[in-house]
Amino acid sequence: MNTKAIYAACLFAALNVCTLSARAESTVQPHTYSYGTHLDVRKVLSLSEDPQPACGVVNARMTYLDSAGHEQELDYRKFSDNCSNQN
């Protein structure tokens, strides 16, 4: 067999596997935190919150890796970062 054809087929197969795994990760459904929710967080990837100009309670999201290495998202409520300088 032609070695170039074999290399091309292997490269094509590898790229397809990578593309499928990237598509699977992009469909992560966020979970909503409630008191007593078991959290399995190995590494926090990002923290974000809805923009709000004043101090108050906002919606926030944490993106993290669980102990199995799967990306997860958690929605929760918190005081805005604008509250840090107020009592």
Side-chain angles (χ1 to χ4, degrees):
M1 266 190 109
N2 187 353
T3 56
K4 287 184 181 181
I6 293 173
Y7 291 142
C10 290
L11 179 61
F12 183 71
L15 289 175
N16 281 335
V17 168
C18 293
T19 302
L20 289 175
S21 65
R23 286 183 192 159
E25 289 180 17
S26 67
T27 60
V28 174
Q29 294 294 321
H31 303 282
T32 302
Y33 177 80
S34 61
Y35 184 77
T37 300
H38 173 71
L39 298 177
D40 179 17
V41 179
R42 184 179 77 190
K43 181 179 180 181
V44 174
L45 301 176
S46 68
L47 297 170
S48 62
E49 68 178 50
D50 290 343
Q52 184 169 333
C55 178
V57 178
V58 296
N59 294 320
R61 177 170 287 174
M62 176 175 64
T63 304
Y64 63 94
L65 294 177
D66 62 15
S67 60
H70 299 111
E71 187 173 316
Q72 303 288 334
E73 291 182 346
L74 182 72
D75 290 336
Y76 59 100
R77 309 255 311 147
K78 70 178 214 100
F79 279 109
S80 170
D81 288 339
N82 294 329
C83 298
S84 62
N85 295 330
Q86 300 179 11
N87 291 333

